[in-house]
């Protein structure tokens, strides 16, 4: 295994050793037009498990962000002119490299993001699955023909790539949130400029390194790093950028929508969630508690799909709380690189403060602390999982996206009540239902204002499904055949003046 003793590309001597089979996967420069480019300043990237510097990325100047947009625009003509088959071949070469380098990519992700190594391996597979899916779907990006209402005319549509797409992504899924967007955009013929989260740029830069090795031409896939506000404002203001796909908080999503209004971009937004997890009265309570633990604590609770509010029938409340408390106390908190760890660190110290705020606020307003805060923590960015009961709608833990390992359980009395309570949020991303009576499941499924409803399964996401939310959880869908909609235009054409009467 190669030990990479950075300075880069960089200048720093205060970094820890990163062990990768392929040391060149840790890139510390931006990737623009097929070249590795330095800006005017280095930004340290730290490991959330111990706050040690693992490397540096470069802060680009505005002129370099413009260069990236120009490079993507210049590459667009050639890339869209490739056959769908050719683009698919290049995407499959990228996909294969992602899986060949799975272990290194996963280790890099643990170092910068903190999740457990198993979760990181899962994310590499998940991320690669979108590349394969869209490589295949690109060959089937069909148009349609319509029976004509105009004499002597044939009517049809074709799907055309929209142009340069800006992709702005968060830190919680540093690989898959990029591939879910980029694979769709590239397969349909767009070129992209990716701006990853500052906490997790190395996963994005490794994707660029592998895209280059796969033979994806210069300018087609660009990754830029640096000041988020300046980069995003530049991307949004540019008339050359025709699509913006953002995954992140609702707060920043609204800002980017405002900034994109002047250039009337096609915007897709994957924003925050406040998922209800609803247990039905006929459900086995032990099984429901186990599923709720999985749905709550994946990625240390830092997941837009995480169960945020757990609703349990009043008659089963005590049994559920006991089963949940027993199960969650088996979770091990620690460095994600170590075997047997279930919950890694939170992304940074502010996230720990937010988790503590949620607990304090709930306790002040009358919640009960059932589990939490008793074990010694391995570092400053760690947070022991917490279980709160008697949670009420006036508490931040109920209203806000928690994004931490704090669970709140709420008793309910009727299906009508729980539908109203679950929908009592500006978010509408995902909801879970656990139970058996199909009439109850159907009533809930139709009554819940959420873009994704999962019945008796914690796992709901994947390449074939349209991922996305209602209300302030977003606009548009990612994955599935609908994923192309965000990066393409439907062009209608009317071919008139034909001699249709003679059958020609
Ligand atoms: P965030 O703070 O909104 O940041 C997301 C991206 O926006 C990052 O690249 C960030 O760059 C950039 N950004 C931050 N402030 C900005 C500003 N003022 N102007 C322009 N760009 C700015 O979100 P996050 O904390 O990284 O991610 C967590 C959020 O993502 C949660 O709300 C979660 O629900 C959501 N999420 C949603 C989905 C989904 O599919 N619906 C999936 C995953 C995550 P810097 O990092 O450089 O600041």
């Amino acid at each position: 295994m190669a030990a990479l003793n950075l300075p880069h590309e960089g200048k720093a001597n205060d970094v820890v050793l990163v062990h990768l089979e392929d040391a060149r996967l840790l890139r510390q420069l931006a990737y623009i037009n097929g070249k590795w480019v330095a800006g005017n300043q280095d930004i340290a990237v730290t490991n959330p498990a111990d706050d040690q510097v693992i490397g540096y990325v470069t802060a680009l100047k505005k002129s370099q962000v413009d260069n990236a947009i120009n490079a993507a625009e210049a590459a667009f003509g050639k890339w869209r002119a490739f056959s769908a088959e050719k683009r698919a071949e290049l995407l499959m070469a990228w996909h294969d490299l992602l899986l060949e380098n799975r272990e290194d990519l996963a280790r890099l992700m643990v170092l910068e993001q903190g999740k457990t190594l198993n979760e990181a391996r899962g994310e590499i597979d998940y991320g690669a699955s979108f590349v394969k899916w869209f490589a295949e779907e690109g060959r089937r990006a069909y148009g349609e023909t319509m029976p004509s209402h105009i004499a002597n005319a044939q009517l049809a549509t074709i799907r055309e790539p929209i142009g340069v797409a800006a992709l702005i992504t968060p830190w919680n899924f540093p690989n898959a949130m990029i591939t879910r967007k980029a694979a769709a955009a590239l397969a349909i013929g767009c070129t992209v400029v990716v701006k990853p989260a500052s906490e997790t740029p190395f996963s994005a830069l490794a994707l660029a390194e592998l895209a280059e090795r796969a033979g994806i031409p210069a300018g087609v896939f660009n990754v830029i790093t640096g000041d988020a506000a300046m980069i995003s404002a530049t991307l949004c203001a540019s008339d050359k950028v025709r699509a913006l796909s953002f995954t992140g908080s609702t707060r920043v999503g609204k800002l980017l929508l405002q900034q994109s209004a002047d250039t009337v971009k096609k915007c897709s937004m994957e924003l925050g969630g406040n998922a209800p997890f609803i247990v039905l009265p006929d459900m086995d309570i032990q099984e429901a508690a186990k599923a709720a633990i999985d749905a709550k604590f994946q990625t240390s609770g830092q997941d837009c799909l995480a169960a945020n509010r757990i609703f349990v029938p009043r008659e089963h409340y005590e049994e559920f709380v006991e089963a949940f408390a027993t199960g969650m106390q088996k979770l091990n908190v620690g460095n994600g690189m170590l075997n047997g760890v279930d919950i890694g660190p939170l992304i940074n110290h502010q996230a720990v403060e937010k988790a503590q705020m949620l607990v304090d606020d709930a306790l002040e307003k009358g919640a009960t602390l059932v589990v939490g805060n008793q074990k010694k923590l391995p570092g400053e960015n760690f947070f022991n999982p917490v279980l709160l009961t008697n949670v009420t709608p006036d508490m931040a833990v109920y209203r806000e996206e928690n994004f931490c390992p704090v669970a709140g359980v709420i008793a309910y009395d009727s299906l009508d009540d729980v539908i109203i309570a679950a929908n009592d949020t500006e978010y509408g991303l995902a909801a879970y239902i656990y139970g058996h009576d199909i009439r109850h499941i159907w009533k809930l499924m139709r009554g819940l204002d959420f873009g994704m409803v999962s019945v008796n399964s914690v796992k709901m996401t994947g390449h074939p499904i349209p991922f996305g939310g209602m209300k302030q959880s977003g606009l548009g869908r990612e994955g599935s055949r609908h994923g192309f909609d965000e990066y393409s235009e439907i062009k209608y054409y009317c071919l008139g003046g034909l001699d249709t009467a003679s059958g020609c």
Side-chain angles (χ1 to χ4, degrees):
M1 209 176 252
L4 194 67
N5 199 1
L6 321 163
H8 39 139
E9 300 175 351
K11 302 144 194 157
N13 313 321
D14 55 341
V15 294
V16 291
L17 289 181
V18 177
H19 291 280
L20 299 177
E21 289 288 345
D22 180 350
R24 281 177 52 79
L25 286 177
L26 196 148
R27 302 305 307 241
Q28 300 178 81
L29 298 176
Y31 184 67
I32 300 174
N33 203 19
K35 299 200 170 55
W36 295 96
V37 176
N40 55 3
Q41 208 186 324
D42 282 350
I43 311 166
V45 180
T46 54
N47 180 343
D50 55 18
D51 282 332
Q52 294 223 53
V53 176
I54 53 173
Y56 288 78
V57 288
T58 194
L60 296 175
K61 295 176 279 188
K62 184 180 178 313
S63 59
Q64 294 172 306
V65 177
D66 289 331
N67 291 346
I69 296 169
N70 291 336
E73 196 200 23
F76 175 56
K78 185 176 162 198
W79 181 247
R80 73 175 296 188
F82 279 9
S83 67
E85 196 71 21
K86 174 76 180 162
R87 286 196 297 268
E89 277 168 20
L90 290 166
L91 285 172
M92 280 310 295
W94 193 32
H95 164 268
D96 294 347
L97 285 168
L98 297 182
L99 293 186
E100 279 166 32
N101 291 281
R102 178 181 190 249
E103 202 56 27
D104 273 355
L105 295 174
R107 290 173 69 83
L108 210 45
M109 190 186 296
V110 176
L111 285 168
E112 64 179 359
Q113 204 281 340
K115 63 179 67 180
T116 69
L117 194 51
N118 272 340
E119 286 173 332
R121 289 176 181 133
E123 186 181 335
I124 301 305
D125 295 344
Y126 177 56
S129 76
F130 291 106
V131 182
K132 185 176 180 191
W133 170 266
F134 282 111
E136 292 164 345
E137 282 296 286
R139 297 178 168 128
R140 294 186 277 274
Y142 303 131
E144 57 184 346
T145 57
M146 289 81 73
S148 179
H149 63 298
I150 301 169
N152 297 324
Q154 291 287 343
L155 314 181
T157 64
I158 49 174
R159 199 184 262 275
E160 293 194 338
I162 196 163
V164 176
L167 315 179
I168 303 178
T169 55
W171 48 261
N172 64 338
F173 287 89
N175 173 292
M177 294 305 97
I178 296 175
T179 59
R180 196 164 72 181
K181 298 177 189 305
L186 297 180
I188 201 76
C190 296
T191 54
V192 302
V193 179
V194 182
K195 188 265 171 246
S198 297
E199 282 93 347
T200 56
F202 292 135
S203 294
L205 293 165
L207 282 170
E209 169 69 23
L210 295 174
E212 184 177 43
R213 291 186 202 177
I216 293 178
V220 170
F221 184 83
N222 305 278
V223 178
I224 57 177
T225 51
D227 176 56
M230 180 277 285
I231 291 176
S232 302
T234 306
L235 292 169
C236 291
S238 171
D239 215 10
K240 296 174 182 169
V241 175
R242 295 311 321 141
L244 167 71
S245 178
F246 172 74
T247 299
S249 61
T250 298
R251 179 185 68 81
V252 175
K254 287 178 184 177
L255 185 73
L256 300 184
L257 282 171
Q258 284 165 5
Q259 291 181 352
S260 298
D262 270 353
T263 51
V264 192
K265 280 189 213 324
K266 187 158 198 167
C267 292
S268 50
M269 299 272 141
E270 295 289 346
L271 308 176
N274 184 356
F277 184 106
I278 302 172
V279 181
L280 291 175
D282 63 358
M283 186 64 202
D284 178 278
I285 293 302
Q286 301 298 322
E287 205 184 312
K290 186 175 175 312
I293 289 169
D294 290 346
K296 174 67 224 180
F297 297 112
Q298 51 198 349
T299 325
S300 309
Q302 303 173 118
D303 191 327
C304 55
L305 300 181
N308 225 49
R309 295 164 297 154
I310 301 168
F311 294 98
V312 182
R314 197 171 299 283
E315 64 271 26
H316 297 305
Y317 192 68
E318 279 177 23
E319 184 190 349
F320 181 91
V321 168
E322 196 184 324
F324 193 97
T326 307
M328 70 181 271
Q329 287 182 89
K330 295 181 187 145
L331 297 173
N332 287 320
V333 177
N335 186 324
M337 210 59 105
L338 302 175
N339 284 336
V341 166
D342 304 293
I343 298 190
L346 301 189
I347 191 68
N348 53 34
H349 200 63
Q350 290 91 295
V352 173
E353 281 171 7
K354 157 107 191 263
Q356 192 57 54
M357 178 283 285
L358 291 173
V359 176
D360 294 345
D361 172 79
L363 295 181
E364 262 170 39
K365 292 175 178 159
T368 307
L369 183 72
V370 180
V371 179
N373 294 338
Q374 72 281 52
K375 292 184 197 156
K376 188 172 170 341
L377 289 166
E380 287 201 350
N381 297 331
F382 291 85
F383 198 82
N384 279 322
V386 167
L387 174 57
L388 298 165
T389 54
N390 300 320
V391 166
T392 50
D394 58 327
M395 298 174 185
V397 71
Y398 186 107
R399 301 237 73 87
E400 293 181 18
E401 181 181 42
N402 300 169
F403 242 54
C404 64
V406 176
V409 185
I410 304 132
Y412 73 87
D413 294 306
S414 74
L415 277 196
D416 289 327
D417 285 353
V418 79
I419 291 173
I420 292 167
N423 287 339
D424 178 24
T425 168
E426 70 266 28
Y427 294 106
L429 188 59
Y432 301 85
I433 303 168
Y434 268 74
H436 297 297
D437 187 324
I438 192 68
R439 292 162 307 166
H440 293 164
I441 291 171
W442 186 248
K443 183 177 164 106
L444 281 182
M445 216 271 287
R446 294 307 306 269
L448 292 171
D449 297 333
F450 292 81
M452 298 178 283
V453 179
S454 187
V455 180
N456 296 331
S457 177
V458 173
K459 183 175 166 59
M460 68 170 91
T461 181
H463 51 274
I465 67 111
F467 192 107
M470 295 178 176
K471 293 165 42 180
Q472 294 190 32
S473 283
L475 300 169
R477 295 293 181 268
E478 293 192 334
S480 79
R481 66 188 173 84
H482 302 288
F484 280 143
D485 296 347
E486 318 305 333
Y487 305 100
S488 56
E489 301 273 22
I490 305 277
K491 183 180 278 178
Y492 154 69
Y493 64 90
C494 166
L495 198 56
L498 305 176
D499 180 9
T500 51
S502 68
C504 303

